Amino acid sequence: MSTSASPHFPSDVHPFDIDYLPAAIRNLLTMCPGFISVIMLFSIIQRNRNMFTNYKLTVVFLTFGGFTLAVPIISFNIFMVTVIPMKPQFLISTLVCSMIKQFCAATMNSSFAIASSISLLRYLLVMSGREYGWKVLIGVYFALSAPLYIYFVLALCIGNIEENDECPYFIEINWSYRPLLYFGYLSLVILLADFCNIRVLLFVLSHRRRLIKQGLSGLSGGRQFSRRERDQFHLSIGLLVQSITVTITFGSTILFMLLFSYGVKIPNWLSTITNTLSSLSTLLNPLACAIFIRPFRVEMAKSLLLNK
């Protein structure tokens, strides 16, 4: 992005860029399937309230929290898809458009802190044996996402007006190291979930091997693993699959955005694929996590009328 030579002010009004319409449609189509996760989980909770009690700090928080944070950007794309064709000369000020876009970016990017918060608390639970509740989980989420919201405020306060795609002119911080700091922090948040999930899974596997060696598993004629132990093992696998999927899909998007910020051109077809996969995986990943847990598989089958 290059700063315009002519002076512009936050109060200046401009129409949206009509060329952004295809991207808005694509974004909306790839985000709407996220309703599947929400509807499926809601139907499961309505039928079996114990599922909420047992998984409120993991699958439930991951699904509803992530979707709630995606609502602003979904709403923005709905607005763009509706307004641009019907009223292409719709005017919006640089300040208002910048506030909307920066807020959407902050909420959407902070949704990745939800998975990291869950994974971090499960890691601390395994290491210390202490279980944490809602308040701590929400506190960890806000701590991890705080830099993103601080950046949102700083950009509007000290940023410069630059050319953009959705907003013709956009308020952004143009420090040379800004992309490295911003996208670097996002990468750390995502990798935190991978690290914690790998450590938890290794601990669970070690615990299972220890039980087998002690002759306490069903393989040696002793007691079998309890259903809760098996579910926690499968939950660990599901959370790891979920976080690695996000790392691959959204991580590639972060890399491309970082390269683009420093003038490296990325083929449009490649960035389109990564953006699409990133949007799909962000909101559908809770399902990928849930299907590893037997009670969720059973309830999903009932919801799909595959199991009476």
Side-chain angles (χ1 to χ4, degrees):
M1 299 178 188
S2 59
T3 305
S4 178
S6 59
H8 294 280
F9 301 94
S11 58
D12 291 346
V13 294
H14 306 275
F16 286 112
D17 185 358
I18 195 171
D19 293 333
Y20 180 71
L21 181 59
I25 295 174
R26 183 185 66 247
N27 292 340
L28 190 59
L29 291 177
T30 55
M31 289 179 178
C32 283
F35 281 105
I36 297 174
S37 300
V38 175
I39 294 173
M40 182 69 72
L41 183 58
F42 183 77
S43 66
I44 290 174
I45 291 174
Q46 286 295 310
R47 185 169 52 250
N48 187 347
R49 297 302 176 91
N50 289 331
M51 299 296 289
F52 175 82
T53 303
N54 295 335
Y55 298 99
K56 61 184 178 182
L57 299 181
T58 51
V59 178
V60 174
F61 187 65
L62 180 65
T63 303
F64 289 122
F67 186 80
T68 299
L69 291 171
V71 167
I73 196 168
I74 292 175
S75 301
F76 178 69
N77 280 284
I78 291 175
F79 175 80
M80 295 291 285
V81 170
T82 304
V83 169
I84 290 180
M86 297 179 60
K87 195 175 181 181
Q89 294 303 313
F90 180 88
L91 299 178
I92 188 170
S93 71
T94 299
L95 177 61
V96 172
C97 196
S98 299
M99 289 178 63
I100 294 173
K101 186 177 177 182
Q102 289 282 14
F103 180 73
C104 289
T107 53
M108 187 63 186
N109 290 335
S110 70
S111 66
F112 298 104
I114 291 180
S116 299
S117 302
I118 294 171
S119 301
L120 179 59
L121 290 191
R122 292 192 78 243
Y123 173 74
L124 294 177
L125 169 64
V126 167
M127 294 296 107
S128 66
R130 179 182 176 184
E131 192 166 355
Y132 300 90
W134 275 102
K135 293 181 180 179
V136 177
L137 178 59
I138 294 175
V140 172
Y141 159 74
F142 278 114
L144 291 177
S145 60
L148 301 176
Y149 291 101
I150 291 174
Y151 177 83
F152 158 60
V153 176
L154 283 178
L156 297 176
C157 293
I158 65 174
N160 298 321
I161 298 177
E162 302 180 350
E163 294 180 357
N164 192 253
D165 45 9
E166 300 102 318
C167 308
Y169 295 96
F170 179 66
I171 302 175
E172 179 66 283
I173 297 175
N174 63 355
W175 300 336
S176 59
Y177 50 85
R178 190 271 307 174
L180 190 61
L181 289 176
Y182 188 86
F183 296 122
Y185 181 75
L186 270 181
S187 300
L188 290 177
V189 170
I190 294 173
L191 291 174
L192 174 63
D194 292 333
F195 171 79
C196 292
N197 288 329
I198 290 173
R199 292 287 296 170
V200 169
L201 182 58
L202 290 176
F203 178 87
V204 173
L205 288 173
S206 175
H207 176 68
R208 289 168 67 91
R209 285 195 298 266
R210 186 164 59 251
L211 289 180
I212 292 174
K213 289 181 179 180
Q214 293 174 352
L216 296 179
S217 73
L219 297 177
S220 58
R223 76 166 179 87
Q224 295 183 350
F225 294 114
S226 68
R227 175 167 292 181
R228 177 177 174 79
E229 289 173 331
R230 293 196 299 271
D231 288 343
Q232 288 300 315
F233 172 65
H234 294 149
L235 175 61
S236 299
I237 296 177
L239 287 174
L240 179 58
V241 170
Q242 184 269 340
S243 64
I244 289 179
T245 303
V246 170
T247 300
I248 295 173
T249 56
F250 190 67
S252 60
T253 300
I254 290 177
L255 176 61
F256 291 161
M257 293 177 70
L258 180 62
L259 294 175
F260 177 78
S261 299
Y262 288 108
V264 179
K265 292 185 177 180
I266 305 297
N268 290 333
W269 64 268
L270 185 57
S271 61
T272 298
I273 291 175
T274 56
N275 289 337
T276 300
L277 291 176
S278 176
S279 298
L280 284 172
S281 66
T282 300
L283 298 176
L284 288 177
N285 256 353
L287 281 182
C289 175
I291 61 177
F292 280 91
I293 307 169
R294 183 182 178 278
F296 274 103
R297 290 199 303 271
V298 172
E299 295 297 333
M300 286 180 186
K302 291 179 180 178
S303 298
L304 296 173
L305 302 179
L306 298 178
N307 185 13
K308 297 182 180 180

